[in-house]
Amino acid sequence: MKTVIIKYNAGNIRSVLFALDRLGVEGVVTDDPEAIKAADKVIFPGVGEASSAMRYLQERKLDQLITSLKQPVLGICLGMQLMCKHSEENDTNCLGIFDVEVKRFQSPVDNLLKIPQIGWNNVTGLYSTMFEHVPENSYMYFVHSYYAALSPYTVATTNYVINYSAALQKDNFYAVQFHPEKSAGEGQKILENFLKL
């Protein structure tokens, strides 16, 4: 099985490679369109800023490539947000795989919750094959200031300031806001389930 991690100058790739290695899978990091198309599984991770990441994808025509992929694709964190239609982060038009708006958390009145959300939070309403054998209310590791609104594509929910999409799914496209590669055993199980799709 060939697993490709899309390179687009958004961080977080090394931890994904380590997580795959723990599962006995060798990941290949590349922005080569032919290698991406030939992969059995594609992972689209990322930490960073939406508009510069989209610019990198567009300059290399990777935006068109990603939306055309037919094999299972997993977006992680920024990767998930870029798979949505639009992000409030620098008013960025994204890939549009999910017809979902990405919005910035509004600081709560009591200031008890800090923006960005950094740390562990539970996920509920798990509804996808990628959550098989993952317990309801499992804790996952999040780092983000923007969130995908709830939608018909929502397959897991988290509450931080408001309820939002912790995971999305449409056809062969899967996406999670949290970092499964940093989320202990349950996160590892999610990656394992994705690799079995």
Side-chain angles (χ1 to χ4, degrees):
M1 180 175 66
K2 184 177 179 185
T3 301
V4 157
I5 299 170
I6 296 178
K7 173 189 169 187
Y8 65 110
N9 287 356
N12 187 42
I13 285 177
R14 187 174 298 278
S15 57
V16 175
L17 282 170
F18 287 150
L20 293 176
D21 187 61
R22 289 194 296 270
L23 291 168
V25 174
E26 183 182 353
V28 176
V29 180
T30 183
D31 60 2
D32 176 61
E34 293 308 314
I36 296 169
K37 282 192 282 189
D40 299 300
K41 303 289 189 302
V42 175
I43 299 178
F44 182 45
V47 173
E49 186 273 322
S51 63
S52 56
M54 277 303 301
R55 193 157 48 248
Y56 185 97
L57 294 173
Q58 290 161 348
E59 285 168 356
R60 290 155 182 79
K61 304 234 178 338
L62 293 175
D63 56 330
Q64 299 169 30
L65 173 65
I66 292 167
T67 58
S68 72
L69 294 173
K70 302 302 180 191
Q71 65 272 61
V73 178
L74 175 63
I76 298 173
C77 196
L78 179 63
M80 166 170 156
Q81 294 181 5
L82 294 179
M83 291 165 78
C84 295
K85 181 173 70 173
H86 178 267
S87 174
E88 286 186 350
E89 188 172 24
N90 291 320
D91 190 23
T92 303
N93 289 322
C94 301
L95 296 173
I97 293 166
F98 303 110
D99 187 12
V100 175
E101 292 287 329
V102 174
K103 303 181 179 188
R104 194 179 198 285
F105 284 124
Q106 300 301 310
S107 296
V109 175
D110 58 17
N111 284 323
L112 293 176
L113 298 175
K114 303 299 183 187
I115 311 300
Q117 175 183 200
I118 300 175
W120 296 84
N121 203 342
N122 62 322
V123 293
T124 62
L126 309 182
Y127 183 73
S128 170
T129 49
M130 71 176 160
F131 294 119
E132 192 173 0
H133 303 302
V134 176
E136 185 77 7
N137 277 313
S138 289
Y139 278 81
M140 303 293 169
Y141 188 78
F142 291 82
V143 182
H144 62 120
S145 299
Y146 293 80
Y147 66 91
L150 297 176
S151 74
Y153 309 108
T154 301
V155 292
T157 303
T158 296
N159 180 276
Y160 192 82
V161 183
I162 62 163
N163 288 322
Y164 67 88
S165 296
L168 301 169
Q169 183 181 336
K170 177 187 176 184
D171 303 325
N172 58 308
F173 293 99
Y174 301 77
V176 292
Q177 180 61 65
F178 52 86
H179 291 273
E181 76 283 2
K182 297 180 180 178
S183 295
E186 285 80 5
Q188 194 91 337
K189 186 63 183 174
I190 291 167
L191 287 174
E192 185 181 350
N193 288 339
F194 171 73
L195 294 171
K196 287 179 180 175
L197 292 171

